[in-house]
């Protein structure tokens, strides 16, 4: 039973990772990581805080959609590994210094550590299999 609870807790951590990216909740994103993680998502970062700060500077208010699915999770005591299929869509607002957005496909290879009863990401490596360019776009203003 504990293995099932652990797997679900890890699934929740990664779901929050994607949601915090898209909803621009940078401090919550940073808090998902251990104190000294290994992070390689096309650029390398030495902390969750650094990842959050650099991603915030890169994306700003750009509309994004990140998805992780089909997890293969293995739990071994207070450590776990997972492979996640992923897809992301990033579009920058017109006038951005980025000429195009992108639609990417690949997988994350993660490790997790349980600390004081909670799971955290201790490493994440993103491998992209394909990246297509997409035109930049600004979502319509919210209607009141």
């Amino acid at each position: 039973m504990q293995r099932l609870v652990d797997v679900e807790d890890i699934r929740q951590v990664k779901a929050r990772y994607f949601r915090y990216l898209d909803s621009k909740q940078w401090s919550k994103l940073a808090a998902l990581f251990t104190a000294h993680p290994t992070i390689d998502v096309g650029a390398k970062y030495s902390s969750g805080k650094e990842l959050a700060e650099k991603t915030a500077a890169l994306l700003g208010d750009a509309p994004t959609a990140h998805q992780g699915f089909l997890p293969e999770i293995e739990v071994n005591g207070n450590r776990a590994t997972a492979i996640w299929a992923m897809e992301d869509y990033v579009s920058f607002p017109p006038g951005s210094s980025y000429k195009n957005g992108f639609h990417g496909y690949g997988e994350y290879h993660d490790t997790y550590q349980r600390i004081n009863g909670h799971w955290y990401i201790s490493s994440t490596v993103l491998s992209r299999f394909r990246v297509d360019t997409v035109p930049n776009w600004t979502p319509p203003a919210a209607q009141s």
Side-chain angles (χ1 to χ4, degrees):
M1 185 61 149
Q2 184 61 48
R3 183 191 169 285
L4 293 175
V5 170
D6 291 339
V7 166
E8 181 57 25
D9 288 348
I10 291 165
R11 289 167 55 100
Q12 293 292 316
V13 169
K14 195 64 172 188
R16 288 183 187 105
Y17 170 88
F18 292 119
R19 182 167 57 88
Y20 295 158
L21 277 170
D22 292 336
S23 61
K24 319 300 188 229
Q25 295 184 62
W26 306 119
S27 62
K28 288 182 177 181
L29 176 67
L32 296 175
F33 291 86
T34 59
H36 303 287
T38 300
I39 302 170
D40 183 351
V41 291
K44 294 181 180 182
Y45 304 107
S46 60
S47 70
K49 181 179 179 191
E50 183 185 18
L51 168 70
E53 289 172 350
K54 301 282 175 122
T55 304
L58 172 70
L59 294 179
D61 292 329
T64 62
H66 291 82
Q67 297 181 11
F69 40 92
L70 304 172
E72 301 170 45
I73 300 171
E74 295 292 328
V75 177
N76 186 7
N78 288 326
R79 299 197 179 273
T81 61
I83 301 171
W84 298 85
M86 65 76 65
E87 183 175 356
D88 60 356
Y89 192 100
V90 176
S91 173
F92 298 97
S96 165
S97 60
Y98 296 96
K99 184 177 177 184
N100 292 299
F102 61 89
H103 188 179
Y105 310 84
E107 63 188 22
Y108 280 91
H109 289 252
D110 292 351
T111 61
Y112 299 84
Q113 185 176 354
R114 183 182 6 231
I115 302 169
N116 296 325
H118 299 282
W119 287 99
Y120 296 90
I121 302 168
S122 54
S123 71
T124 187
V125 177
L126 172 58
S127 300
R128 292 184 180 276
F129 304 142
R130 179 180 175 143
V131 178
D132 299 322
T133 59
V134 297
N136 285 332
W137 171 77
T138 299
Q143 306 236 339
S144 47

